[in-house]
Each structure stands twice: as C-alpha cells, then as structure tokens.
Amino acid sequence: MKLIGRLLFCILLWSYSWDVTAADTHNTENATVNHVSIVLGQDTYPFQYMDDSGKPAGILVDLWREWSLVTSIPVTFEVRNWQESLDSVKSGQFDVHIGMTPNDSRMAYFDFANPITSLQTYLFIHNSISAKHQLSDLVPYQIGIVDGSSHEQSLLTINPNFSFRKYPNREALLKAAVNGEVLVFAGIEGFQRNMSLEQDIAAEYYISSRIPIDKTVISPAVPKRHPKLLEIINAGFTAIDAIQIERIERRWLGYHRENTGVLIAMQTNVEPYADIGNDGLPHGLYVDLWKLWSKKTGISIDFVVGDMNSSVDDIKRGFADVHIGYPESNEMRTGLEQAWHLTSIKSRFFSLKNDIQDLNKMENVRIGVFPTAPYISEVHKLYPNAQLRFYETTAELVEATIKGEVIGFIASSAMTSHYLLTNKLWTDFKQYSTIEFSTDIYSLTRLDDSGLAKRIRAGFELISPEERLQIERKWLINPDDRYESGSASHIILSNQQKSYLSSLGAIKMGYLKDWRPMEFQGKNGEFLGVNSDIKSILVNHLGISIIPVGFDHFEDMLQQLENGEIQLVASLAYNAEREQKILFSDPYWPSPWAVASDLTQPPIFHIGQLSHKKIAVVKGYQLIDQLRQLHPDLTLVIVADTQEGLDAVVSGHADMFVEKVSTLADKLKNGQYPSLKLSLIADLADQQSRIGIFSGLTDLKPLIDRVLATIDRASQQELYQKWNDVQLNTDNQFYQRWMNSLIIGLLIVSAITVVVLVVNRRLKIEISRREAAENKLVFIANHDNVTGLANRTLLEQELALAKSSHDKSNKKFAILFIDLDGFKVVNDEHGHDVGDQLLKVIADILKRAIRTTDFVARFGGDEFVILLNNLESVEHAKRLADSVLKKLLQINAIDDKPVQISASIGIAMYPDDGTSSDELLKCSDLLMYQAKRIGGHRHRANQ
C-alpha cells in the first residue's frame, strides 16, 4: 500500500509541476517543485520549538523531514514567535506553516492540509481552587493563554463568558502561572524542557485536577488559494510509513498515543517491592512508585507479570515498554537502557542464631547468594576463602541455611525480613548490619526507545523526596532499608510557596516553660525539648524564622494563639470547638493520657474506674470538656500546670491527676514524688498531638503538614531518646526503705539524726546530678558535636539579641559567612576522620580570631558564621576576614596528611544590608558565592 501511495504521489507531482519557493508569487502553475520553506513556533514543546543549539526540533519537524525524504523535495525551517509565525505565512514570506489547529478565525487566512498528528488540550487548575471540576466554574477567573493560540476560540465556543490574559509565548505563560498571576491556564499534553519550571508547575497544578478542553488535530497551513500545494503535501504525508510515524511520536512523547499508555513488565515474589496481592492486582513499593509516576504525568500504565528473566525478555521482544525495576551493575548488564535509578536496596548477611564474629576466620565457609546478585564480585573480594552457592529464591536460601548447606546467606534485608516474618521464622535468624551491600535498581527500556526513557526520567523527577518517603514507609518497616533519609531530605517548594514563606517574616511559637520532655525552658532561657527539635525541622525544611515564646500557663498560651499574638503551638490536642478558632496540622506525635495517683490506690486502666473521684486537670486542656460530657460524675479540680496538679494529689486536694504520659513519666522519675505512681488510661491511649496554627495562616498549614510527614516512628524514637537519654538513678526503693527505717527509728534520736544526714546528702547528690544532666542537654541542643562551636539554634538566638542591643545603641554589627574552599578534597582523599580533625583546627582558629564580645558558630557542613558586635564600619570585618584567610593558608597537614585549605567569605552589615537575621544571612551567603565564583580565597562585601 505504501508503494502505491508513493507512486500516486509521483504521478501527482508530475501532473501539477508546481513551484512553491518563497520567492514565487504562489500563482505559478507550470514550474518544477524543488523546495518548500516552512515556519514554526518557537516553544510549543514537544511538537514544534527551537532547541538549545538554536535549531528547529519537535514531532512536526521530524514528520516534515520524513516527508522530504519520501518526496525528495528539500525543505528549510525557520523559527518564529507564535504570532509572528502565523503572520509570516499570511504575508507570503514562507510557503507553509509547519502545523496548527484549524479553526474558523484561521480559515479566513489559511487553507489546511490533512491532519498529520493530534494533541489533547487542557485547562490546568491551581491546587488552591482544585475543587473546580466544571468549565463553568472557571468563568470568574482569567485564563492564561499564549497570544494567537487556538485556545481562545476553543474556549469561547464552549462559554463566551470566559476572559483571558495573554502571553507572548508558552514559557512566559508557565512562569506567570507559577508566580500566581493566573490560577488557570490552557496547555497541551507533554512535558516541559525546563525541568525546574516543570517541577514548579507540578507542585502547584495537579495533573489529576486538569480539565480536558478538546482533542485537536494539527494540520500544515498554506496561504489561501493554493489547492495544488495542499494536494502535494497531503500525498507526501500519505506516503510515509505508519511505523515511522509511530517511532517519531514515541521519540518525543515516550509512548504511542494510539495505544493505551505505557506497558510495564514486572517480576513477582519480590515482596515488599513487587508481587500480586490477594485481590489479584500488582502491589508493592515499585508498583506504588509507578502509579505515582502515572498520576504525575497523566499517562496511563498497565502491568505484564512474569518472573525475573521473562520480564526482561518482554522488554527486549517488544511485548512491554519498560521494566518496573531491575538490579544492574557494571558486571551484570541486561543490554537494556537504564532509564531511571528507581531506588537502592540494602542486602545483608543472615544466619541462624549463631554469633558469627568474622567469616574470614572460619574454615569451609559456604554462603548462599542469588545468581543474579550484582554484588557477587564484592563478596568474593571481602571473603576470598568463602565458597558461594547459588539459589533462585529466598525460600531456597532460608531452607539451605536451616539444613546446614550454607552457614548463612546474603539477600535483600526487606525481602528476607518479610519472608521470615510471614513464615514465622524471624526469631530463628539473625541479621548482621555490619555485612551490607547496596544494589541499584533501574527501570529499563530498549536502547532505541530514547523518547520513552526521557519521558520516564522527566516523570520521576516530578516525584519529591517526601512522596518517595511516604511510599517507603508504607512498605519498608526498617528505616535502615529505606532509600530516602527522612527528615534530612528537604521538601521541594515552588517559587510561589517560597515567596509566601518569605513574606511571613518571623513566626512566634509558644511553648510551656516546664512541660518535660516535650518542651521546657533551660537555665539560660533556651527553648528545649522534643518540640524545640520539631521547630528546628520546620525551620530547616521551610527556611522560615521561628522565635520561641515561653509561657507559664497553658491557657494563656492558647489565648494568644487564638488572637494571633503567637502563630504556632506544638503538642496541641484537637477538638471541634478549638477548630473554630485555630487551624490544626496533621498528627505528628503519639500523646496518650495517664494518671498520677497515690501508691495505695489500686491500678487504673480505664476512665470508668475514676467514678466519683476528684480529678485534677490543667486549665485549658481539651480533656476537660471530654470528661465533663462523658463522665459527669467526676469532680474536676482545675490546676494551673503539671506541678500544681501533682501537688494537689500529694496534699489530698485531688485523688488523681491526668496528664500526658511522657510528661508524667518525666516528672515522677526524678524522685520528687516518691509516693505517686503512673497508670496509662486505655480509653485515652490512642491520642495524637498536632501543631496549632493561627487561623490567619491557612496557606502555611499544608506546608507544615508536608514537613511533619517526614517524621517517621524511628525519628520520633530518636527525638524521645535524645531528651530522655540522661538516666537519673532516683532510687525510689532506696527512699522507701529509709522512710520505713525512719518510722521504726523514731524512738532513737541518734538514728533519726543519721538518717536525716544521709537523706540530705543523697538529695544534694541527686540535685547535682539533675543540674549536670540539664546542662548536658542544653549543651547538646545548642552546640555542634564535632567542633564544640555553637550551632544554628544558638546562632539564631545570638542574632536576635544582637539586633535588639544594637538597635538601642544605634551601632552596627557584621556577619561573616565563611565557606571552606578545598574541604571536599580533604574528605575525599583522606577520609572523614581527617576532615573532622581539620574542622576542629579551623574552629580553634576562628575562636582565637574574635574578641570576647563576638560570636562564632558552625552553620553546617563546611560553613561557619562569625558575628562581630559594635562596629563603626565594615573595615574591621574586612581586616578580620583577611586575618582568617592568612591563618587558613598556614594549615598544611592534619595527622601527617597534607592538606590545603582556604575560604570564601561574604560580609553583611546590620542594618545596611538587612534588618533581620534572615536578610543578613541571605546577603552574606550571596556575597560568599560571589567570592567563590571568582576563584575563592577572598572576601566580598557591599561596601
């Protein structure tokens, strides 16, 4: 059929013999066809655009090049702004417009050839108005469009009441959408060339919320009254092989749109990564990642199920488009293209409950492995005397270990743990965290499918680390098995979100001064406790400034939150009444209730046992209303704080005191209340704490929720242990014994005297321990563990104090932002131990360089900040910077290892370069980068 099509084209060409050069008047009927000039738009990616080298590119360009090969007629391309491309064909400057959507207004100026491709157009809706599901809902909003595009007429045909905001090109339109100039814009399928812009669009405009406008055809256009040229164009495109058209579309779109979408080959029996669930459908970590990819791109997916080998063959033979995820290494390759690094899997050594110290010291060691494991060569290097035995499944590896065929095996930690738990063998095996191998998992495509590989990469780049982390938490119980590092990974913010956060200025966060371990005030007025770390996590992710404000009483703090005098309160319990006045984040911390009662009271397990009791509760707690409604027989004793509640029980004013279990445990463990005990209330065990947010900050809530979602159970445990790791031996039993002895010995005055002396001495020791422990906690919370310098938390406080004091004295202060030049080289060549020693030396140099009234902190990594107080001008700061640079050059060796180190320094002055800590840090950071870009080993200031 294609041969017949080409024959008909040749006959047509010979019959018409018509020249279509740009220089002709386009009315010549009897000339030879020898050239066609084509104009295209500059930024309708991936259909027609100008690439980075300034050349025309896209689906339509490749189709016309194929047309030129079929017809043997040479073509030339010129790229113009979209409206200019239309005007240039109208004026006769070019023979053909490469392709556009025919509509009534265009038909007045152009004749159109038959369609050569098609595209789907959409209205993209900002997530703030994503509830708008109908086109009629969008009439109140201006719709962003490219000037001259077909979107205007298409939308006015649907609803003549639409209004528009026009932009000269697609990139200008997308930037306007990201910056919030419009909340709705018209666009086409495909993805952007600018990945940063694509990520911002994906963050603000969810694919799932877009509304289809129309599926439109794309046709070449010529000026009016050239029917013979149209016939030649049509005949040429008819002669192109359909398979070649499909290849061109796959190259640019990643898939052929006539099919259902992308077909994914997957292996089974590798749970929790990929398997078939009880419902008969694919599930697992890989499956969820691909489903999210589909949601981000709008491209449908389906799965073809097989084993490890057959799934790879399905790709090679064209039965599927992409492999869901396959382990590859330099030693073991499939011959397919690695389209995307999906994840990395941790594999560890497992054995029966034997304490194996060193495999190299054991004789006749046999280790089981998978034959496809990419780490086999690493195992050989580490254990050259070991004999490797190969098994196809986890079940075979486990069985071989039980039978004694191998001493143990190396396999995926997550897969093996799942298998052992499922088969009730977990307690029989030991996992060795010290013997670990990392396996990279790649999504694979055919080598000739570069378009699909590019589309896969673009789609996965839209998935944020926090979204990956949520999927990994769902499937991987052990945090050490996860690829993402949790709260260490920053959430991705769009430009609009960054602008919003920047506009907030400093945010005040209320906390209780004595509510350990969740929050409390240190000896020097510092904000400490679990919630102080939560605050730091928010600052780290969102880049905002949070000022802690201490309160003595909970009710006062809650009242100021409702009034907006403070903006955040952590560890707040939700109830419907509060929700009318403040916003609540998602839950982030387990917060069950407990009761403190006298040792003589029977154990308390549920609220029903409290009937007709006097119960002390802190004023303002949401629990008060709950108890009054559900248990009206209780007598509530309202107290100001935890201390007063416990004292009420000791004095007999209340039978029991209800408080959060973590706070009660912290209070009772220090021995101050030896006559009280703690009981967990089962009815109220499933309680969760949230962050309360001032009602005027509605756009801040979803961002806080995203940050809190990075805090998993392992992170919670680390935080809790951090603030409870100083174990105070309160020896309650010791006190009880001495109290009994005291009662018995009341008759003997001398014995009483001895007891009092011993107890007093013991109490003094205890108080001393507590003070030392608190000082240790304060130091840990505010100082860097490598250099001993202050950390960012303490730096924030110092900057706030500096601003306050310098405002009163009307003097200046300077910030020196120091970034080391060459530190990474030291780490790479000599290791982190030498790097840490170098940091300590540099910290000592910086401490010696400043006055006692100044301040130095480690900002993070290889960055330091110096605060110079009471300056008349920037010259003093410059002299100090010169001195630091000279002293750094004098460092030539660490632990006999040669090193060469310098620094780039940015200097910002208050108030000349900024009036807030954030502004000064940003300014000094920018100046530091300017110094680094021109070679480093220098400082930069604005003056």
Side-chain angles (χ1 to χ4, degrees):
M1 289 299 294
K2 291 300 171 188
L3 182 59
I4 294 173
R6 295 192 182 197
L7 181 61
L8 288 174
F9 172 79
C10 292
I11 295 172
L12 178 67
L13 184 62
W14 173 80
S15 173
Y16 292 131
S17 300
W18 188 45
D19 187 5
V20 288
T21 61
D24 291 339
T25 62
H26 298 287
N27 293 316
T28 304
E29 296 288 337
N30 299 306
T32 302
V33 177
N34 55 22
H35 173 254
V36 174
S37 60
I38 304 170
V39 68
L40 62 140
Q42 68 180 6
D43 68 346
T44 309
Y45 183 87
F47 290 89
Q48 50 182 304
Y49 74 103
M50 181 169 64
D51 66 17
D52 294 335
S53 62
K55 296 179 181 178
I59 293 174
L60 298 180
V61 173
D62 282 0
L63 287 173
W64 270 100
R65 284 175 175 151
E66 195 65 26
W67 181 93
S68 178
L69 290 174
V70 168
T71 62
S72 299
I73 298 174
V75 296
T76 55
F77 300 96
E78 289 291 335
V79 183
R80 295 284 187 273
N81 170 282
W82 180 254
Q83 188 60 52
E84 291 176 0
S85 72
L86 302 180
D87 294 339
S88 63
V89 177
K90 290 179 189 177
S91 65
Q93 185 179 353
F94 296 96
D95 300 318
V96 183
H97 191 286
I98 196 167
M100 67 179 87
T101 299
N103 59 34
D104 292 341
S105 62
R106 289 173 176 173
M107 287 180 180
Y109 301 99
F110 304 105
D111 285 331
F112 289 90
N114 294 334
I116 58 176
T117 189
S118 64
L119 57 81
Q120 178 69 54
T121 58
Y122 300 90
L123 281 181
F124 291 83
I125 315 299
H126 192 271
N127 56 27
S128 64
I129 57 170
S130 58
K132 311 293 183 183
H133 300 302
Q134 305 295 327
L135 287 172
S136 57
D137 296 335
L138 303 176
V139 171
Y141 302 92
Q142 273 196 319
I143 299 174
I145 60 172
V146 174
D147 190 19
S149 68
S150 63
H151 299 310
E152 182 174 5
Q153 183 172 328
S154 298
L155 290 167
L156 288 176
T157 301
I158 297 171
N159 192 323
N161 296 318
F162 281 137
S163 59
F164 303 95
R165 188 165 184 172
K166 299 178 182 180
Y167 295 89
N169 53 57
R170 191 181 185 191
E171 185 166 356
L173 168 62
L174 295 177
K175 287 182 177 179
V178 168
N179 293 331
E181 293 179 21
V182 291
L183 296 177
V184 184
F185 70 91
I188 62 174
E189 62 183 304
F191 54 103
Q192 318 304 326
R193 297 170 62 206
N194 184 333
M195 204 58 229
S196 175
L197 189 56
E198 170 89 340
Q199 289 172 339
D200 285 344
I201 288 290
E204 300 288 342
Y205 295 82
Y206 300 152
I207 287 285
S208 57
S209 300
R210 67 184 181 181
I211 301 176
I213 303 174
D214 193 15
K215 185 173 183 178
T216 61
V217 297
I218 302 296
S219 301
V222 301
K224 299 292 287 185
R225 296 178 299 279
H226 291 89
K228 295 180 180 179
L229 176 56
L230 288 179
E231 291 187 51
I232 293 174
I233 292 172
N234 288 336
F237 278 109
T238 302
I240 298 175
D241 195 320
I243 294 178
Q244 186 60 21
I245 294 175
E246 180 180 341
R247 286 174 181 162
I248 291 171
E249 284 198 350
R250 285 184 67 89
R251 175 189 172 194
W252 290 101
L253 294 175
Y255 64 102
H256 186 44
R257 289 171 299 163
E258 298 304 318
N259 300 330
T260 57
V262 173
L263 204 56
I264 301 173
M266 63 170 280
Q267 68 272 39
T268 58
N269 298 317
V270 288
E271 200 165 14
Y273 296 101
D275 206 353
I276 300 298
N278 294 329
D279 56 3
L281 299 175
H283 72 185
L285 189 149
Y286 298 167
V287 174
D288 280 2
L289 283 173
W290 273 100
K291 285 181 178 178
L292 184 55
W293 178 91
S294 176
K295 182 179 178 181
K296 293 282 187 180
T297 61
I299 299 172
S300 62
I301 59 174
D302 203 355
F303 296 93
V304 178
V305 178
D307 58 29
M308 185 70 78
N309 295 323
S310 67
S311 59
V312 171
D313 290 339
D314 284 342
I315 307 299
K316 293 180 177 179
R317 293 184 292 174
F319 295 157
D321 300 307
V322 58
H323 194 285
I324 191 170
Y326 191 85
E328 279 208 329
S329 66
N330 292 330
E331 292 80 14
M332 302 186 68
R333 299 295 296 269
T334 60
L336 297 171
E337 179 176 355
Q338 296 176 352
W340 181 252
H341 177 212
L342 193 69
T343 189
S344 292
I345 292 178
K346 303 290 180 60
S347 294
R348 300 190 182 95
F349 180 71
F350 289 80
S351 74
L352 290 171
K353 286 289 186 177
N354 301 320
D355 191 15
I356 299 175
Q357 298 295 329
D358 190 342
L359 289 174
N360 278 324
K361 293 181 178 179
M362 301 179 68
E363 297 182 359
N364 301 319
V365 174
R366 296 186 300 275
I367 301 174
V369 293
F370 288 112
T372 56
Y375 46 76
I376 289 177
S377 60
E378 293 182 65
V379 177
H380 277 305
K381 290 178 183 178
L382 283 174
Y383 308 108
N385 299 322
Q387 177 187 349
L388 300 188
R389 290 198 174 183
F390 300 104
Y391 299 88
E392 295 291 337
T393 66
T394 304
E396 292 178 5
L397 287 168
V398 171
E399 185 67 20
T401 305
I402 294 173
K403 290 181 178 179
E405 297 175 10
V406 293
I407 193 172
F409 60 90
I410 298 172
S412 161
S413 172
M415 289 169 55
T416 305
S417 298
H418 176 83
Y419 178 86
L420 295 175
L421 286 167
T422 302
N423 292 276
K424 300 180 180 179
L425 294 169
W426 178 254
T427 57
D428 297 333
F429 279 80
K430 178 180 179 179
Q431 179 179 176
Y432 292 78
S433 59
T434 56
I435 305 176
E436 181 181 282
F437 303 89
S438 183
T439 301
D440 292 331
I441 304 296
Y442 295 93
S443 294
L444 306 174
T445 61
R446 290 179 291 277
L447 293 175
D448 60 353
D449 231 346
S450 58
L452 177 58
K454 186 177 181 181
R455 191 68 185 90
I456 289 169
R457 289 192 290 271
F460 275 114
E461 284 176 352
L462 298 179
I463 298 176
S464 67
E466 58 187 297
E467 290 172 317
R468 289 183 58 95
L469 184 59
Q470 290 302 310
I471 292 175
E472 290 187 349
R473 284 179 182 166
K474 173 183 175 182
W475 294 103
L476 304 179
I477 299 174
N478 184 357
D480 293 336
D481 293 338
R482 297 170 190 161
Y483 180 60
E484 288 297 334
S485 57
S487 57
S489 299
H490 283 259
I491 66 173
I492 296 176
L493 300 171
S494 68
N495 289 335
Q496 188 174 0
Q497 290 166 338
K498 292 175 183 176
S499 177
Y500 166 72
L501 292 171
S502 178
S503 71
L504 294 178
I507 294 174
K508 294 180 180 179
M509 182 176 191
Y511 71 95
L512 292 176
K513 294 179 180 178
D514 188 16
W515 202 54
R516 302 166 183 262
M518 296 307 295
E519 52 190 42
F520 59 97
Q521 192 171 79
K523 273 192 170 184
N524 300 315
E526 307 95 332
F527 175 28
L528 301 174
V530 171
N531 288 330
S532 70
D533 284 348
I534 298 298
K535 184 214 79 168
S536 298
I537 292 172
L538 290 173
V539 170
N540 186 39
H541 279 280
L542 300 180
I544 55 179
S545 176
I546 299 180
I547 300 173
V549 180
F551 288 84
D552 293 313
H553 302 299
F554 176 82
E555 189 179 35
D556 295 339
M557 180 173 66
L558 188 62
Q559 186 64 51
Q560 288 203 19
L561 176 64
E562 293 175 359
N563 297 338
E565 297 174 59
I566 59 175
Q567 290 76 44
L568 299 176
V569 169
S571 292
L572 201 60
Y574 166 87
N575 65 33
E577 183 181 351
R578 284 180 181 170
E579 192 180 31
Q580 297 175 9
K581 301 176 183 178
I582 58 178
L583 302 170
F584 280 93
S585 74
D586 291 339
Y588 75 96
W589 196 267
S591 189
W593 297 94
V595 294
S597 61
D598 191 89
L599 287 170
T600 60
Q601 292 280 354
I604 306 298
F605 301 107
H606 54 84
I607 295 180
Q609 293 177 268
L610 307 182
S611 180
H612 303 294
K613 299 286 187 180
K614 291 185 294 183
I615 309 300
V617 188
V618 173
K619 187 177 183 179
Y621 277 12
Q622 60 90 17
L623 183 65
I624 294 174
D625 291 335
Q626 186 177 350
L627 292 175
R628 282 174 174 165
Q629 292 172 13
L630 299 178
H631 304 278
D633 56 328
L634 295 176
T635 300
L636 299 185
V637 179
I638 307 303
V639 296
D641 52 35
T642 305
Q643 187 78 37
E644 188 176 324
L646 291 169
D647 290 342
V649 179
V650 172
S651 64
H653 290 97
D655 297 310
M656 298 172 190
F657 171 53
V658 182
E659 179 58 281
K660 295 297 183 182
V661 64
S662 57
T663 302
L664 280 182
D666 187 86
K667 281 289 186 183
L668 297 183
K669 76 180 182 182
N670 62 23
Q672 185 180 351
Y673 298 94
S675 64
L676 300 184
K677 66 178 179 180
L678 179 150
S679 302
L680 188 67
I681 305 178
D683 311 51
L684 302 175
D686 190 21
Q687 299 288 317
Q688 295 284 326
S689 287
R690 305 165 185 255
I691 292 180
I693 306 164
F694 172 56
S695 59
L697 300 176
T698 53
D699 291 338
L700 181 60
K701 175 193 175 316
L703 299 177
I704 287 178
D705 286 339
R706 288 174 60 189
V707 175
L708 295 179
T710 66
I711 306 172
D712 58 10
R713 290 183 181 179
S715 301
Q716 291 174 351
Q717 186 66 22
E718 288 177 9
L719 289 177
Y720 191 83
Q721 287 178 349
K722 171 183 175 181
W723 295 104
N724 288 273
D725 64 353
V726 181
Q727 299 299 322
L728 302 178
N729 181 14
T730 58
D731 292 339
N732 285 341
Q733 294 180 355
F734 171 86
Y735 285 114
Q736 283 298 121
R737 289 195 301 270
W738 274 106
M739 288 295 292
N740 292 336
S741 300
L742 184 61
I743 294 171
I744 297 171
L746 283 174
L747 300 176
I748 307 173
V749 175
S750 60
I752 294 175
T753 305
V754 171
V755 169
V756 171
L757 289 173
V758 172
V759 171
N760 283 340
R761 181 173 178 273
R762 184 70 180 185
L763 287 174
K764 288 179 181 179
I765 294 172
E766 190 66 29
I767 291 170
S768 176
R769 284 182 185 176
R770 292 197 62 200
E771 289 178 345
E774 184 172 297
N775 290 334
K776 178 182 177 182
L777 284 174
V778 170
F779 189 85
I780 291 173
N782 293 286
H783 291 79
D784 171 51
N785 62 346
V786 175
T787 63
L789 293 178
N791 61 17
R792 292 176 68 168
T793 301
L794 201 53
L795 174 64
E796 288 180 13
Q797 298 172 16
E798 286 294 324
L799 289 175
L801 291 173
K803 181 179 181 302
S804 176
S805 63
H806 286 75
D807 284 342
K808 294 176 183 177
S809 64
N810 203 27
K811 286 194 174 183
K812 298 181 180 183
F813 67 85
I815 286 180
L816 279 68
F817 199 105
I818 304 170
D819 185 272
L820 300 180
D821 299 330
F823 181 72
K824 185 177 183 301
V825 175
V826 174
N827 262 344
D828 292 344
E829 290 184 355
H830 305 306
H832 291 281
D833 289 341
V834 173
D836 287 348
Q837 290 298 319
L838 177 59
L839 290 175
K840 292 176 182 178
V841 171
I842 292 171
D844 187 59
I845 288 174
L846 298 180
K847 285 189 290 186
R848 292 173 182 273
I850 62 175
R851 302 165 298 181
T852 57
T853 56
D854 299 327
F855 183 82
V856 60
R858 185 183 178 190
F859 198 72
D862 58 351
E863 296 174 334
F864 298 84
V865 171
I866 291 178
L867 168 63
L868 298 179
N869 290 299
N870 298 318
L871 300 184
E872 296 296 335
S873 71
V874 74
E875 295 306 318
H876 178 87
K878 290 180 178 179
R879 288 195 296 271
L880 181 100
D882 285 329
S883 173
V884 167
L885 292 174
K886 289 178 182 177
K887 290 178 180 177
L888 291 180
L889 285 181
Q890 294 171 9
I891 304 173
N892 50 40
I894 299 291
D895 286 348
D896 297 326
K897 302 288 194 309
V899 298
Q900 186 174 0
I901 198 76
S902 186
S904 301
I905 304 175
I907 305 172
M909 295 291 294
Y910 175 87
D912 304 332
D913 296 321
T915 56
S916 70
S917 301
D918 190 48
E919 289 175 353
L920 291 168
L921 286 170
K922 286 181 179 178
C923 178
S924 58
D925 186 38
L926 177 63
L927 291 167
M928 178 274 293
Y929 274 110
Q930 291 177 3
K932 188 174 287 290
R933 277 197 294 267
I934 55 176
H937 185 58
R938 65 195 70 214
H939 55 75
R940 281 287 177 270
N942 284 327
Q943 303 171 47

